[in-house]
Amino acid sequence: LNASVQMLIELRNYNIGRVNAGYPPIKIGIGLNTGNLMLGTIGGKNRMDGTVISDSVNIASRLESLTKELFIPLIVSDSVVQKLQNKEKFSLREIDDVVMRGKSQSILIYECFDSDEPSLKEAKLKNQKQYNLALTEFRNKKYARAKELFIECERNCPEDSILFIYIN
């Protein structure tokens, strides 16, 4: 998780130079999951490839795809969050329980927003309590109240794409 946050911060700094040189910024999405996997090397005399296969790898890939749909750069599964020894060090917030393609059980996913611009990160942290309350209301099917709370959060942080998704 530390490495992912640092990659996104470095990319943000790199993009400043790209934009100043007239090039479009580069965007990436990172999905983190943890679990068992099989690691192998295949190939022949002139070419070798390493690969990994497992359900855990597939989930990480699906999380990476979700970054494009949710417009956030770093999505983390609950299995990663549960294994963090220093969870309070990170700026994390629940997004939702999602069912991945080909799965029957949902997994809880989080946004890690430590790599956001400082003003956006600060606004999300300021909204955290209100956001959690709105999310609870949403999960309790109190949609009108949840929408009111999400709209209040949006007033403080209009750039927050997750709020836009919940409001709509």
Side-chain angles (χ1 to χ4, degrees):
L1 187 52
N2 273 326
S4 297
V5 169
Q6 289 305 309
M7 285 171 55
L8 290 166
I9 290 170
E10 287 300 317
L11 181 60
R12 188 177 69 221
N13 294 334
Y14 174 71
N15 278 333
I16 292 169
R18 282 185 62 84
V19 170
N20 288 339
Y23 295 104
I26 296 170
K27 290 187 176 186
I28 65 170
I30 300 172
L32 287 182
N33 188 41
T34 187
N36 294 325
L37 59 84
M38 289 180 44
L39 171 69
T41 305
I42 57 173
K45 184 176 180 181
N46 297 320
R47 181 166 183 229
M48 299 289 280
D49 278 328
T51 191
V52 290
I53 56 171
S54 77
D55 198 41
S56 300
V57 173
N58 291 338
I59 290 171
S61 176
R62 303 278 191 266
L63 294 177
E64 183 273 329
S65 293
L66 269 179
T67 64
K68 296 175 195 104
E69 294 176 35
L70 300 178
F71 305 103
I72 56 176
L74 180 52
I75 296 179
V76 183
S77 71
D78 187 52
S79 63
V80 171
V81 172
Q82 295 308 315
K83 290 185 184 277
L84 289 173
Q85 294 177 2
N86 52 351
K87 186 166 40 174
E88 68 286 341
K89 178 183 172 198
F90 297 98
S91 300
L92 298 163
R93 68 174 178 177
E94 286 185 26
I95 299 173
D96 201 1
D97 283 303
V98 295
V99 178
M100 301 291 170
R101 188 176 63 217
K103 300 288 170 208
S104 57
Q105 283 194 315
S106 65
I107 65 165
L108 181 59
I109 60 171
Y110 293 78
E111 172 189 21
C112 178
F113 54 94
D114 285 308
S115 63
D116 285 356
E117 292 282 345
S119 60
L120 179 58
K121 180 181 174 183
E122 186 178 321
K124 287 180 181 180
L125 287 170
K126 190 175 181 181
N127 273 346
Q128 190 82 11
K129 188 174 182 180
Q130 184 97 352
Y131 173 87
N132 290 338
L133 180 58
L135 193 57
T136 299
E137 294 294 320
F138 183 86
R139 288 181 175 153
N140 289 331
K141 297 181 175 30
K142 296 178 182 176
Y143 301 119
R145 179 65 180 139
K147 186 174 183 176
E148 289 173 15
L149 293 166
F150 283 126
I151 288 171
E152 285 180 38
C153 289
E154 188 182 44
R155 284 189 198 113
N156 296 326
C157 190
E159 310 87 29
D160 189 343
S161 61
I162 298 299
L163 299 176
F164 177 79
I165 291 168
Y166 271 112
I167 290 167
N168 288 309

